[in-house]
Amino acid sequence: MTRRNFTPATRKAAYERAQGRCQGCGCDLTGKRWDCDHVIPDWLGGRPVLENAEVLCAGNRATCHGKKTAQDVKRIAKTKRQQKFHLTGRSRARKGKPMQGRGFQGWRKFNGDVVRP
């Protein structure tokens, strides 16, 4: 799936809708670096439209955009695990061969005698 980014017009409209403030912490973004982020992540089906856009302060990992990205990565990873389980029926790869049994030895009576089928 290819990443779909917001158009410059959508980015501008989102910034104007937020009145130049971060929608995560509320700080003033005038003259600062900011990002237009998907509310519903692109990988999870979020479309690049104004209704799915939010303006967040950008920069290092401690900013609002860095925190939201970390949360999105967790949600996407969980969705991938669920999809894999749905397709394969296994939650994770097996580490080795399954344990071997002795096979069916026959029924036993209460006195311990084996009854062969």
Side-chain angles (χ1 to χ4, degrees), residues 26-42:
C27 68
D28 185 28
L29 295 175
T30 308
K32 294 182 181 177
R33 189 168 161 245
W34 57 276
D35 285 329
C36 191
D37 190 43
H38 293 80
V39 175
I40 299 172
D42 186 37

Side-chain angles (χ1 to χ4, degrees), residues 44-97:
L44 296 176
R47 296 178 24 222
V49 294
L50 182 60
E51 293 78 27
N52 192 35
E54 66 181 343
V55 177
L56 299 172
C57 38
N60 62 7
R61 195 141 170 86
T63 62
C64 295
H65 190 247
K67 291 175 187 174
K68 174 143 185 335
T69 302
Q71 293 169 352
D72 289 346
V73 166
K74 288 179 184 178
R75 286 175 55 197
I76 290 169
K78 182 175 182 177
T79 304
K80 287 181 179 180
R81 285 193 308 270
Q82 289 172 337
Q83 284 179 345
K84 181 180 176 186
F85 178 77
H86 180 71
L87 294 174
T88 64
R90 293 185 180 171
S91 59
R92 61 179 182 261
R94 295 184 188 252
K95 295 184 179 178
K97 293 181 179 178

